[in-house]
Amino acid sequence: MPRLSLKAAAPLAALLLTPALVSCSSQELKQPREQGVEKLTAVVEQRYDFDPSSFTQGLEVADDGTLYVGTGQVGSSRIYRTTLDGQVTASRDLDPAFFGEGITRTGDYLWQLTWQDGVALKRDAETLEELGRTTFEGEGWGVCARDGEVILSDGTAQLRRMDPETFAERERFTVSLGGAEVPRLNELECVGDEIYANVFLTTDIVRIDAATGDVTAVIDASSLPNNAAPDPNNVLNGIAHIPGTDEFYLAGKRWPDLYRVSFEPAAVG
């Protein structure tokens, strides 16, 4: 987003204008009320150098360990493929008018969102060349792929089920914790029957039942060092499951670090 406050404005304004709407605060996320909701913490297993100029909006990892990174900001958004040691093997700039958002791979291609332009770009997974584009309603924030569908976030408490081939919207469902809606859902990662979502402007990640929208775990990632230059925009953003493991990569906007983490039970007390 041009400024962080612009992206935050829509969901926050909606909450202020609709006082009857029940929604979770950051503090409530850290104290799940729903019985059976796990409290987890992100434990750093390894740190890697990462491109500090990347305004990371989407993060994906292929079966061979290749990383896909989608970045934002009007005039400098791009998508690139890189190795863990920083060797960029492909890179494509977006139309300078677009603000890039989340990315996901499904089969031999990727979808890349734009923020407020209502455009989704379909790309070849190897070359990153654009294969086509389509439109969708509203804003695009995060996206992830499951068997037979793609999940899209728009900064609210709702997620959308999209057709993986055409990106046509099928339905929407609401994410809730203990009966309260969880707004500002941002970057997404689909893992089996679960969806992991960064909660924008926090260091929290929620694990969501993909069938019901119920939050099944709240993950505290505040232990990750944020070594980015001081800027309110440079927040945690980017989550990618590492195939064949229970671990994830976590990144942030303009963070010089990429972290390989495990999600462990939080200490009691």
Side-chain angles (χ1 to χ4, degrees), residues 9 176 192 197 199 208:
S176 62
V199 180
I208 304 158

Short mmCIF file of all heavy atoms in Angstrom, two decimals, residues 9 176 192 197 199 208:
data_model
loop_
_atom_site.label_atom_id
_atom_site.label_comp_id
_atom_site.label_asym_id
_atom_site.label_seq_id
_atom_site.Cartn_x
_atom_site.Cartn_y
_atom_site.Cartn_z
N ALA A 9 -7.23 1.20 6.77
CA ALA A 9 -8.39 2.06 6.98
C ALA A 9 -9.71 1.37 6.75
O ALA A 9 -10.65 1.54 7.51
CB ALA A 9 -8.29 3.29 6.07
N SER A 176 -13.95 -16.91 12.53
CA SER A 176 -14.32 -16.46 13.88
C SER A 176 -13.57 -17.24 14.95
O SER A 176 -13.14 -18.37 14.73
CB SER A 176 -15.83 -16.62 14.09
OG SER A 176 -16.21 -17.99 13.99
N GLY A 192 -3.28 -28.64 3.76
CA GLY A 192 -4.32 -29.65 3.96
C GLY A 192 -5.67 -29.02 4.19
O GLY A 192 -6.15 -28.21 3.40
N ALA A 197 -3.20 -17.70 8.52
CA ALA A 197 -3.37 -16.32 8.08
C ALA A 197 -2.64 -15.36 9.01
O ALA A 197 -2.82 -15.42 10.23
CB ALA A 197 -4.85 -15.94 8.03
N VAL A 199 -2.44 -11.87 10.73
CA VAL A 199 -3.40 -10.83 11.11
C VAL A 199 -2.68 -9.51 11.01
O VAL A 199 -1.75 -9.22 11.77
CB VAL A 199 -3.95 -11.06 12.53
CG1 VAL A 199 -4.95 -9.97 12.89
CG2 VAL A 199 -4.61 -12.44 12.63
N ILE A 208 -6.88 -21.76 10.74
CA ILE A 208 -8.32 -21.77 10.48
C ILE A 208 -8.75 -23.10 9.88
O ILE A 208 -8.07 -23.63 8.99
CB ILE A 208 -8.67 -20.63 9.49
CG1 ILE A 208 -8.18 -19.27 10.03
CG2 ILE A 208 -10.16 -20.60 9.18
CD1 ILE A 208 -7.99 -18.23 8.95
#
